[in-house]
């Protein structure tokens, strides 16, 4: 691999039997990412189950319960590398019950693959998956129209799906949507270009994944540096060193920049940006560094260092698109711990403004119960201000989770409107 | 503006540093589980980066099976000295002597499963609330769904169905008294990434990873090193081969591969051409399709 190769994270979504497992198996197999002993294990299982040939879908089967039930119930991560990029697949199940898993997988994704069965066209699940992709602001969506072999590789069938998709997706905010006709089973347009669909001029899926432009997806304008911890070595070489350790959430910070520390509002200048490998002149997202300031200011975990001429909002009342992740429904006016960057406060859900019917995308008012997999717009009040940007502008400083203090479980994930 | 992006190794490095700092910030008493293998060496190297210019603010913990490669122990002691951190040793031999566990019998007996008890005892005795490991999701299919922050109940057990969802980079390490977490900063690295990074950073690793001559026995499709602990069967023959190890574990079950790779460049090149997973050479994982999953549920690394 070359030194400037990037990492691309993508999720896959489709309803059951659309061919998601087969597609992932095909990507891994054709890009030679499956090892012989793994292949051997799959071959053995295929034989035991009486399949003809190798069932590539078996490669992505995870834990035993799932193997026995034959379904995927949690997000599983897969890895493969080509000479151009390293890929991380967040493999998420398609069932409606698993909205939360798709939201989880989507939260860190650069791209989403949405599978559609060419015979059935766009169905409710397709809409739901696209909606989640747009809600989570996945920058790139690739709609794979699968099982083209079962519709005689027909251009008409392909166009029909595109039309259906564009009809409903016009209401959503997806910046970059592409369509690829494939047969995961036979390998058409997955890694290798299909010889059966001359009418398709675009690139196969893998080539698309290798070349999508992702470096401009990160917010490079708003410099945000949430402080994770303070480094105080107190050894002879660094006696008075006081470094603020963190990962740049967005934007670029440079030595000498005028900065403000939030929420205190004190201002100073960046004195140095340090790493074990030496001092840097600038740091940008998502680099992990240690920053020192010219002035002695009291700074601790949860504070945020920002450029003085570009600050986030410090607010206690948030409007949030909330996905409920837990089996136990939200308790009315219950208190939760809210986690936002490295900050943590107490919070209360004050109001459920509306709920989404995630299949029709209609807004439901009057139903205020938040149950597992529900996506709703809510109002949250925190005990102390959080330094936030809107999720649309900043996926890191615009996202939160809620933790139930009684169980310590993560119960909800939210995007700040 | 296009130069403002990280390559994949830098991004993995930054992610791991972020996780290590989160562990430090969210837990009272973390340790790095240090086996002397390349993955735990890598985690230790990343911890050095995470806290520079301060030293690593927590101890390393070694679960000593008693069946060690001498090279590994030497390496461990050297790194402790270099970093100036504390070492906690949990001894499987002591667990056996105390009657906490019983030694397996027979030719393929290993102390692998016994480590679980020793590990959990050491975690409890030292009031460890987060044990940082070098586990990677690509290692084995039971690990593919492992979290960065992995919750264990007060018996140290892992329930794959009851894991906390992890979104964005918001990690929830909240826990009750007696519970602990495992944290896996290099979850997203593959074996190839590890070698490419070790090469790039020129990280010191035990000589066992480099090709060297050694007395070995052919057993279960790999070269098992001869040692005082190995029971040789009549039909088996001790031969001398040029081999190296892809992973390091208990000396009785870690199989080597024939190799001439004696530099990091050559190792990385060799690994990139490999058609077998690294755990294919470990007999503990060959016992059944879900061997790893079963051990993980009980509290394995
Ligand atoms: N004819 C045809 N069958 C396919 C294709 N892709 C997947 N299948 C079949 O569809 C079924 C469901 O596929 P699977 O990958 O398990 O679907 P999943 O539930 O989305 O993971 C299996 O029998 C596959 O062999 C394709 O491109 N063409």
């Amino acid at each position: 691999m070359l030194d400037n190769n990037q990492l691309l994270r993508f999720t896959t979504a489709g309803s059951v039997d659309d061919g998601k497992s087969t597609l992932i198996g095909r990507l891994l197999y054709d890009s030679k990412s499956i090892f012989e002993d793994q292949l051997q294990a799959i071959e053995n299982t295929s034989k035991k189950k009486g399949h003809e040939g190798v069932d590539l879908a078996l490669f992505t089967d995870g834990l035993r319960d799932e193997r026995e039930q034959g379904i995927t119930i949690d997000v599983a991560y897969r890895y493969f590398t080509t000479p151009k990029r390293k890929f991380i697949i967040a493999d998420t199940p398609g069932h409606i019950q698993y909205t939360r898993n798709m939201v989880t997988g989507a939260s860190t994704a650069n791209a989403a693959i949405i599978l559609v069965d060419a015979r059935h066209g766009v169905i409710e699940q397709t809409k739901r998956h696209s909606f989640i992709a747009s809600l989570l602001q996945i920058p790139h969506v690739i709609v794979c129209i699968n099982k083209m072999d079962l519709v005689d590789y027909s251009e008409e069938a392909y166009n029909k799906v595109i039309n259906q998709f564009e009809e409903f997706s016009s209401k959503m905010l997806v910046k970059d949507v592409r369509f690829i006709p494939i047969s995961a089973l036979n390998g058409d347009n997955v890694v290798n270009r299909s010889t059966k669909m001359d009418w398709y001029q675009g690139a196969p899926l893998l080539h698309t994944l290798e070349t999508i432009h992702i470096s401009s997806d990160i917010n490079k304008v708003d410099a945000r540096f949430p402080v994770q911890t303070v480094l105080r070595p107190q050894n002879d070489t660094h006696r008075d060193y006081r470094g603020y350790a963190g990962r740049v959430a967005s934007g670029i910070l440079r030595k000498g920049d005028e900065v403000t520390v939030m929420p205190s509002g004190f201002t100073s200048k960046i004195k140095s940006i340090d790493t074990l490998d030496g001092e840097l002149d600038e740091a940008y997202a998502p680099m992990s560094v240690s920053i020192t300031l010219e002035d002695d200011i009291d700074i601790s975990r949860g504070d945020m260092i920002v450029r003085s001429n570009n600050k986030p909002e410090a607010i206690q009342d948030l409007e949030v698109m909330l996905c409920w992740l837990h089996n136990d429904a939200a308790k009315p006016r219950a208190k939760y711990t809210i986690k936002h960057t490295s900050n943590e406060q107490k919070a209360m859900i004050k109001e459920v403004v509306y709920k989404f019917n995630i299949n029709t995308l209609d807004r439901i008012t009057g139903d205020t119960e938040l149950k597992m997999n529900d996506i709703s717009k809510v109002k949250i009040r925190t005990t102390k201000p959080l330094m936030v940007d809107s999720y649309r502008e900043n996926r890191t400083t615009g996202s939160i989770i809620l933790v139930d203090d009684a169980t310590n479980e993560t119960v909800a994930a939210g995007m700040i409107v | 503006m296009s130069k403002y992006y990280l390559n994949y190794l830098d991004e993995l490095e930054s992610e791991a540093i972020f996780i290590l700092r989160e562990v430090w910030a969210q837990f009272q008493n973390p340790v790095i589980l240090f086996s002397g293998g390349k993955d735990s060496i890598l985690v230790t190297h990343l911890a050095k980066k995470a806290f520079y210019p301060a030293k690593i603010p927590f101890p390393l913990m070694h679960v000593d099976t008693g069946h060690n490669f001498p090279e590994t122990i030497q390496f461990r002691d050297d790194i402790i000295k270099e970093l100036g951190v504390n070492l906690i040793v949990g001894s499987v031999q002591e667990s056996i002597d105390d009657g906490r566990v019983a030694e397996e019998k027979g030719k393929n007996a290993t102390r692998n499963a016994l480590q679980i008890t020793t590990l959990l005892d050491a975690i409890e005795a030292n009031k460890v609330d987060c044990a940082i490991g070098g586990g990677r999701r690509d290692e084995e299919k039971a690990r593919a769904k492992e979290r960065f922050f992995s919750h264990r109940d007060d018996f140290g057990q892992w329930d794959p169905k009851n894991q906390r969802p992890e979104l964005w980079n918001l990690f929830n390490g909240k826990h009750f008294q007696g519970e602990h977490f495992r944290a896996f900063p290099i979850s997203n690295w593959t074996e190839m990434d590890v070698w490419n990074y070790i090469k790039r950073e020129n990280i010191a690793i035990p000589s066992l990873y480099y090709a060297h001559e050694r007395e070995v026995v052919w057993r279960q499709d790999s070269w098992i090193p001869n040692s005082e602990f190995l029971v040789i069967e009549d039909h088996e023959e001790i031969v001398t081969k040029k081999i190296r190890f892809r992973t390091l574990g208990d000396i009785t079950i870690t199989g080597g591969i024939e190799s001439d790779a004696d530099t990091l460049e050559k190792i990385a090149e060799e690994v990139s051409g490999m058609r077998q997973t690294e755990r294919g050479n470990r007999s503990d994982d060959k016992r059944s399709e879900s061997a790893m999953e079963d051990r993980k549920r009980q509290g394995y690394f």
Side-chain angles (χ1 to χ4, degrees):
Chain A
M1 260 180 104
L2 301 174
D3 281 350
N4 57 0
N5 284 1
Q6 285 174 291
L7 176 60
L8 182 122
R9 302 172 201 249
F10 67 94
T11 64
T12 49
S15 52
V16 180
D17 285 343
D18 280 352
K20 190 164 61 68
S21 314
T22 310
L23 176 65
I24 294 174
R26 171 62 66 188
L27 269 176
L28 298 172
Y29 185 74
D30 282 0
S31 64
K32 305 202 168 41
S33 313
I34 298 184
F35 290 105
E36 269 167 20
D37 46 337
Q38 294 171 316
L39 194 60
Q40 190 65 49
I42 302 170
E43 274 170 8
N44 292 345
T45 315
S46 301
K47 238 178 255 155
K48 242 184 274 167
K49 289 195 173 168
H51 291 299
E52 266 176 58
V54 193
D55 183 357
L56 289 175
L58 289 174
F59 182 72
T60 59
D61 272 5
L63 302 169
R64 182 195 302 173
D65 293 338
E66 298 168 342
R67 280 201 293 282
E68 280 163 8
Q69 292 164 22
I71 52 160
T72 320
I73 52 171
D74 201 346
V75 188
Y77 295 88
R78 327 267 170 209
Y79 303 84
F80 72 103
T81 299
T82 71
K84 300 213 175 73
R85 265 182 187 163
K86 173 186 165 90
F87 296 95
I88 302 179
I89 312 176
D91 178 9
T92 66
H95 263 288
I96 186 151
Q97 301 95 293
Y98 304 125
T99 295
R100 66 171 202 148
N101 292 335
M102 201 191 147
V103 169
T104 302
S107 71
T108 48
N110 307 101
I113 293 180
I114 296 178
L115 271 173
V116 177
D117 187 321
R119 296 170 302 175
H120 308 143
V122 167
I123 55 173
E124 277 199 347
Q125 305 235 31
T126 318
K127 295 186 189 168
R128 185 162 54 83
H129 294 147
S130 314
F131 172 61
I132 293 172
S134 79
L135 192 69
L136 272 289
Q137 297 273 304
I138 301 180
H140 311 276
V141 171
I142 305 168
V143 181
C144 285
I145 296 139
N146 189 29
K147 308 200 184 182
M148 288 300 291
D149 54 308
L150 297 181
V151 294
D152 295 326
Y153 296 103
S154 120
E155 183 176 12
E156 207 186 320
Y158 168 76
N159 283 333
K160 202 169 130 207
V161 177
I162 296 183
N163 288 338
Q164 288 172 341
F165 192 92
E166 284 178 340
E167 206 168 290
F168 83 89
S169 69
S170 56
K171 281 182 261 168
M172 291 186 288
L173 261 174
V174 203
K175 290 173 211 150
D176 171 25
V177 186
R178 305 159 196 235
F179 300 90
I180 306 179
I182 66 167
S183 166
L185 191 67
N186 300 335
D188 291 277
N189 284 340
V190 179
V191 171
N192 303 310
R193 170 170 292 283
S194 172
T195 52
K196 302 197 181 75
M197 292 179 272
D198 290 339
W199 47 264
Y200 172 71
Q201 306 297 320
L205 176 61
L206 183 64
H207 182 80
T208 306
L209 290 169
E210 284 178 330
T211 51
I212 289 180
H213 190 65
I214 51 171
S215 31
S216 53
D217 294 340
I218 300 182
N219 177 329
K220 295 200 189 79
V221 178
D222 310 311
R224 305 281 185 262
F225 188 78
V227 175
Q228 280 183 280
T229 185
V230 182
L231 301 173
R232 307 218 54 182
Q234 291 168 316
N235 56 27
D236 287 344
T237 26
H238 297 95
R239 186 154 301 283
D240 297 315
Y241 189 90
R242 199 181 163 88
Y244 306 107
R247 182 159 62 162
V248 184
S250 57
I252 303 158
L253 287 160
R254 295 191 179 84
K255 200 171 155 167
D257 274 356
E258 293 255 358
V259 291
T260 299
V261 180
M262 299 190 66
S264 71
F266 286 117
T267 57
S268 184
K269 272 190 184 160
I270 295 182
K271 184 171 157 194
S272 68
I273 302 172
D274 299 317
T275 73
L276 176 68
D277 302 303
E279 237 192 276
L280 304 174
D281 289 330
E282 56 184 15
Y284 49 91
M287 285 167 67
S288 286
V289 295
S290 165
I291 286 178
T292 65
L293 300 182
E294 296 285 359
D295 306 276
D296 234 346
I297 305 175
D298 186 24
I299 299 177
S300 55
R301 177 174 170 84
D303 291 349
M304 195 184 282
I305 299 173
V306 303
R307 255 211 309 279
S308 298
N309 58 7
N310 175 340
K311 289 185 237 170
E313 273 190 289
I315 50 174
Q316 274 173 275
D317 288 295
L318 313 171
E319 287 211 349
V320 173
M321 295 303 248
L322 196 72
C323 178
W324 201 259
L325 306 171
H326 203 268
N327 255 323
D328 302 338
K331 290 156 259 171
R333 297 187 73 82
K335 288 210 179 60
Y336 295 98
T337 293
I338 187 168
K339 282 173 86 72
H340 169 258
T341 66
S342 56
N343 199 351
E344 196 178 299
Q345 303 294 343
K346 297 287 176 221
M348 193 169 75
I349 302 171
K350 283 182 57 188
E351 187 189 332
V352 178
V353 185
Y354 57 80
K355 246 159 97 163
F356 273 108
N357 176 329
I358 46 175
N359 288 322
T360 60
L361 308 190
D362 291 335
R363 294 171 183 190
I364 312 164
T365 48
D367 175 2
T368 55
E369 202 186 8
L370 302 179
K371 294 193 299 291
M372 172 124 99
N373 295 316
D374 280 348
I375 296 178
S376 334
K377 183 166 176 182
V378 301
K379 290 187 176 167
I380 291 177
R381 169 126 187 128
T382 61
T383 45
K384 287 202 183 121
L386 301 178
M387 286 70 74
V388 307
D389 295 288
S390 75
Y391 186 79
R392 188 173 299 171
E393 257 145 46
N394 199 319
R395 281 172 99 183
T396 307
T397 56
S399 51
I400 58 115
I401 57 170
L402 296 181
V403 176
D404 184 338
D405 289 335
T407 61
N408 287 336
E409 299 282 340
T410 303
V411 293
M415 290 135 283
I416 296 164
V417 181
Chain B
M1 271 257 180
S2 65
K3 83 178 168 88
Y4 292 106
Y5 68 85
L6 297 182
N7 74 23
Y8 75 107
L9 281 180
D10 288 327
E11 187 163 340
L12 291 173
E13 177 194 77
S14 176
E15 177 179 84
I17 290 174
F18 178 82
I19 299 292
L20 285 159
R21 288 168 170 175
E22 279 304 293
V23 170
W24 173 236
Q26 293 195 36
F27 294 90
Q28 301 294 318
N29 205 9
V31 296
I32 294 179
L33 294 174
F34 188 84
S35 69
K38 66 176 191 313
D39 297 322
S40 61
I41 292 169
L42 170 59
V43 170
T44 307
H45 178 82
L46 291 162
K48 215 162 105 181
K49 291 202 170 193
F51 301 103
Y52 172 85
K55 65 180 187 186
I56 298 175
F58 37 75
L60 307 193
M61 183 156 130
H62 180 217
V63 177
D64 180 358
T65 64
H67 291 169
N68 297 301
F69 287 96
E71 292 93 333
T72 310
I73 298 298
Q74 185 61 49
F75 189 90
R76 176 196 79 185
D77 294 343
D78 291 347
I79 208 168
I80 290 294
K81 211 185 279 165
E82 183 211 314
L83 297 173
V85 297
N86 285 335
L87 175 71
I88 299 171
V89 180
S91 158
V92 174
Q93 187 61 51
E94 270 174 35
S95 303
I96 295 171
D97 296 345
D98 294 346
R100 299 274 298 138
V101 292
E103 188 102 68
E104 281 186 19
K105 303 225 160 40
K107 164 182 151 187
N108 288 321
T110 91
R111 289 185 163 182
N112 214 318
L114 310 189
Q115 292 180 77
I116 298 172
T117 302
T118 309
L119 170 67
L120 294 178
D121 286 353
I123 283 175
E124 200 179 316
N126 294 282
K127 298 197 168 61
V128 171
D129 55 0
C130 184
I132 305 164
R136 309 190 320 265
R137 288 174 180 151
D138 88 313
E139 262 178 278
E140 213 279 339
K141 58 182 168 240
R143 288 199 195 270
K145 304 183 180 190
E146 184 60 280
R147 305 296 200 257
F148 281 95
F149 273 31
S150 178
H151 175 257
R152 303 301 154 113
D153 63 19
D154 41 4
F155 299 102
Q157 297 193 341
W158 180 65
D159 178 1
K161 275 213 201 131
N162 191 18
Q163 297 191 82
R164 295 177 184 173
E166 285 181 341
L167 298 102
W168 300 290
N169 35 34
L170 296 168
F171 296 97
N172 174 8
K174 287 191 184 291
H175 57 284
F176 295 108
Q177 197 79 36
E179 296 177 339
H180 76 277
F181 268 71
R182 303 288 167 84
F184 300 104
I186 59 167
S187 288
N188 278 332
W189 299 52
T190 62
E191 186 190 17
M192 201 60 242
D193 299 332
V194 171
W195 283 113
N196 281 334
Y197 186 80
I198 288 175
K199 185 177 76 173
R200 183 185 94 173
E201 304 274 303
N202 201 14
I203 300 172
I205 50 171
S207 54
L208 301 158
Y209 283 111
Y210 297 95
H212 60 285
E213 304 248 322
R214 183 175 281 267
E215 284 190 355
V216 286
V217 171
W218 184 248
R219 186 182 284 180
Q220 286 195 328
D221 296 330
S222 64
W223 294 107
I224 301 291
N226 188 20
S227 70
E228 54 181 310
F229 311 107
L230 199 68
V231 183
I232 313 278
E233 304 262 296
D234 284 345
H235 63 90
E236 287 177 333
E237 191 191 347
I238 298 175
V239 290
T240 300
K241 289 273 170 194
K242 190 159 188 195
I243 63 148
R244 64 174 207 86
F245 297 96
R246 281 178 84 185
T247 67
L248 292 183
D250 196 305
I251 192 167
T252 59
I253 51 162
T254 305
I257 51 166
E258 282 186 70
S259 169
D260 287 319
D262 52 6
T263 62
L264 287 175
E265 281 73 26
K266 287 187 200 163
I267 293 172
E269 197 184 310
E270 187 182 272
V271 171
S272 75
M274 295 269 191
R275 300 309 306 147
Q276 299 273 329
T277 56
E278 54 188 323
R279 286 196 166 257
N281 292 94
R282 283 175 64 154
S283 47
D284 45 335
D285 288 321
K286 285 189 184 160
R287 292 186 173 184
S288 83
E289 252 234 283
S290 52
M292 170 69 100
E293 187 181 327
D294 295 338
R295 273 180 287 140
K296 270 182 71 73
R297 279 176 188 270
Q298 291 160 21
Y300 192 69
F301 302 104

